């Protein structure tokens, strides 16, 4: 006699297990999203020096009391990356109740003279913020700058060359400088705080030229000479001119 087929017990059991698993996942997700155990209690900031932790946390948009799983990490990082002083950022969850914000700040290396004012730029030429002559940073002059606002690179011919000079100098020489002037033809002139000119010529062999410039002005100032300029267009034969008793000589 013909017997009608019934459903496979194994298939039915598998379906029930799948439904149970889905319900279990939903229940677990609900508990995680609603449980006070996962409410953010602490937000820490690492790597900052110029911006305060409070400022960085505010920029991120993250607040305590929110569920740690509901925080949009990508959105917070995008907000932070819009801050001109921040070069890179990373937001990390530390379960169960902590958010850690890692930042790398941009460091100002020079002031640019633009439109009767000054702006701070980093080694990549990114406009950080407005600055003042009273700062300890050397001023770069002579450039025709185009700016799109803070956080964007400044566009100017010879700016990259001017910024590349700074790492070639000793820290002591940078501290002695008041200005780096770039002419239309790319010629470089350094000015110390004491008013001494370093006529460096084109920006080649700058590490050697800066070394010689620093040695010459230190050695001659020890002798009591008041120097007007040191011409290092040919760094092998530096020419010195004094402000008093004008004379030229090879050092």
């Amino acid at each position: 006699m013909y017997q009608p087929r019934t459903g496979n017990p194994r298939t039915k059991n598998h379906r029930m297990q799948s439904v149970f698993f889905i319900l279990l996942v939903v229940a677990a997700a609900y508990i995680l999203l609603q449980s006070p155990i996962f409410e953010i209690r602490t937000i820490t900031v690492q790597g900052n020096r110029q911006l305060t932790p409070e400022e960085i946390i505010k920029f991120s948009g993250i607040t305590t009391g929110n569920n740690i799983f509901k925080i949009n990490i990508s959105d917070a990082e995008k907000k932070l990356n819009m801050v001109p002083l921040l070069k890179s950022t990373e937001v990390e969850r530390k379960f169960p109740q902590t958010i850690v914000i890692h930042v790398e700040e941009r460091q100002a290396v020079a002031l640019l003279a633009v439109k009767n004012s000054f702006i701070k730029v980093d080694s990549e030429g990114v406009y950080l913020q407005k600055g003042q002559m009273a700062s300890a940073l050397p001023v770069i002059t002579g450039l025709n700058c185009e700016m799109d606002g803070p956080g964007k690179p400044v566009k100017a011919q010879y700016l990259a060359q001017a910024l590349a000079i700074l790492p070639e100098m000793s820290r002591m020489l940078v501290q002695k400088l008041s200005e780096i002037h770039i002419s239309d033809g790319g010629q470089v002139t350094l000015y110390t705080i004491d008013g001494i000119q370093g006529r460096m010529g084109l920006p080649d062999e700058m590490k050697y030229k800066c070394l010689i410039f620093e040695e010459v002005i230190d050695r001659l100032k020890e002798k009591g000479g008041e120097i007007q300029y040191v011409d290092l267009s040919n760094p092998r034969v530096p020419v010195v001119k004094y402000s008093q008793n004008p004379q030229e000589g090879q050092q």
Side-chain angles (χ1 to χ4, degrees):
M1 179 181 292
Y2 173 75
Q3 295 291 333
R5 293 185 178 181
T6 59
N8 189 327
R10 292 184 179 180
T11 302
K12 288 183 179 180
N13 187 46
H14 179 71
R15 288 176 180 173
M16 291 180 65
Q17 288 178 349
S18 298
V19 171
F20 177 75
F21 178 75
I22 293 172
L23 291 174
L24 185 63
V25 170
V26 171
Y30 178 80
I31 293 172
L32 291 176
L33 292 175
Q34 300 300 322
S35 173
I37 296 175
F38 295 102
E39 286 183 359
I40 298 171
R41 300 298 182 192
T42 305
I43 305 173
T44 62
V45 178
Q46 298 179 355
N48 61 304
R49 288 189 176 183
Q50 303 174 76
L51 295 171
T52 66
E54 292 76 17
E55 289 173 323
I56 293 173
I57 292 170
K58 184 177 179 180
F59 288 133
S60 75
I62 301 173
T63 57
T64 56
N66 288 327
N67 188 280
I68 198 169
F69 292 102
K70 292 182 180 179
I71 296 300
N72 189 323
I73 296 294
S74 178
D75 185 57
E77 290 176 346
K78 286 179 181 178
K79 290 178 181 178
L80 289 168
N81 287 331
M82 293 175 64
V83 180
L85 284 175
L86 297 181
K87 185 174 183 179
S88 64
T89 62
E90 181 185 0
V91 180
E92 178 186 10
R93 293 185 180 93
K94 288 284 189 180
F95 295 103
Q97 297 178 326
T98 301
I99 293 290
V100 181
I101 302 175
H102 305 272
V103 301
E104 180 185 359
E105 294 180 329
R106 293 185 180 276
Q107 302 296 321
V109 297
L111 292 177
L112 284 186
V114 294
K115 299 178 181 178
N116 300 319
S117 63
F118 299 94
I119 63 170
K120 293 181 180 181
V121 295
D122 72 351
S123 60
E124 297 176 350
V126 173
Y127 174 8
L128 303 183
Q129 59 187 161
K130 290 187 176 296
Q132 298 179 346
M133 272 291 289
S135 72
L137 299 172
V139 179
I140 298 176
T141 62
L143 300 179
N144 185 18
C145 300
E146 296 181 11
M147 301 175 296
D148 293 328
K152 304 292 183 181
V154 176
K155 300 174 184 176
Q157 188 179 20
Y158 302 122
L159 174 57
Q161 291 88 331
L163 293 172
I165 294 171
L166 292 170
E168 302 298 318
M169 302 178 184
S170 70
R171 181 177 298 180
M172 291 297 295
L173 180 56
V174 172
Q175 292 174 349
K176 293 174 184 177
L177 290 184
S178 63
E179 181 182 348
I180 300 173
H181 182 78
I182 313 295
S183 70
D184 291 340
Q187 300 277 331
V188 179
T189 303
L190 306 181
Y191 293 87
T192 69
I193 296 173
D194 297 331
I196 301 173
Q197 294 181 31
R199 300 181 180 181
M200 317 301 277
L202 293 174
D204 53 10
E205 298 186 275
M206 286 304 299
K207 187 169 186 176
Y208 180 71
K209 289 179 180 179
C210 290
L211 177 63
I212 297 300
F213 178 57
E214 187 175 11
E215 288 183 353
V216 168
I217 60 176
D218 286 348
R219 182 153 47 92
L220 294 183
K221 284 180 69 176
E222 287 178 0
K223 297 179 180 179
E226 193 169 329
I227 306 167
Q228 180 178 343
Y229 68 77
V230 180
D231 190 331
L232 287 156
S233 300
N234 181 354
R236 273 72 184 176
V237 188
V239 176
V240 180
K241 183 173 181 179
Y242 293 87
S243 298
Q244 297 176 349
N245 300 321
Q247 59 180 337
E248 293 188 0
Q250 294 182 356
Q251 302 295 326

